[in-house]
Amino acid sequence: MGLFDMFKGAPPALTPKLTLAVGLLHMINADGHVEAEEIGNVLQALGNDKALFDDAGRYAKSKDLDSYLAESAGLLSADQKMCILLNLYDSLLADGVAAPEEQALFSRFLSAYGVTEQMIEPYTAGIALKNNRAVLG
């Protein structure tokens, strides 16, 4: 135990909702730049649940990405994994740019959750079209 570990408190227990929130935080942090609009998008995806957002921040600070991915992969059903992956994909396309860091992170989620690009492609194509406002002129 470190000198100041007694002040940290235990991280919140991972639940499916918290898994989504933590994943979204990792996604908006992937490129190293977090903008207010991205935080607003995360809060909106979480139903404006500020407590869940705060818990996600505490969890993300206490666990590394690999630990989180392993723990969440063992916790979630196939439908929950797909729900989280699609929310993450929507988040990474929200600003119209899929940064290389975001793409790499999404690939790590796919791998950890045992989902191939072929399995998720029909869904991501719809999300990509939804976020392509250039088609509107």
Side-chain angles (χ1 to χ4, degrees), residues 12-23:
L14 199 58
T15 64
K17 284 184 181 180
L18 185 58
T19 299
L20 171 62
V22 173

Side-chain angles (χ1 to χ4, degrees), residues 29-114:
N29 275 313
D31 63 3
H33 301 94
V34 177
E35 299 178 24
E37 180 182 341
E38 292 175 310
I39 292 171
N41 288 341
V42 169
L43 281 168
Q44 183 178 13
L46 301 178
N48 292 313
D49 187 337
K50 181 78 168 88
L52 180 59
F53 181 84
D54 292 343
D55 284 348
R58 284 192 348 221
Y59 183 94
K61 287 178 184 175
S62 70
K63 304 266 183 146
D64 65 37
L65 179 62
D66 291 327
S67 297
Y68 157 74
L69 287 173
E71 185 177 351
S72 64
L75 170 75
L76 301 171
S77 70
D79 284 346
Q80 290 168 332
K81 289 175 185 174
M82 192 62 79
C83 176
I84 289 168
L85 288 169
L86 293 174
N87 274 280
L88 293 176
Y89 193 77
D90 194 31
S91 176
L92 78 89
L93 289 183
D95 64 358
V97 178
E101 301 89 351
E102 294 169 329
Q103 293 176 41
L105 178 60
F106 189 72
S107 291
R108 287 181 73 182
F109 271 88
L110 287 175
S111 178
Y113 289 176

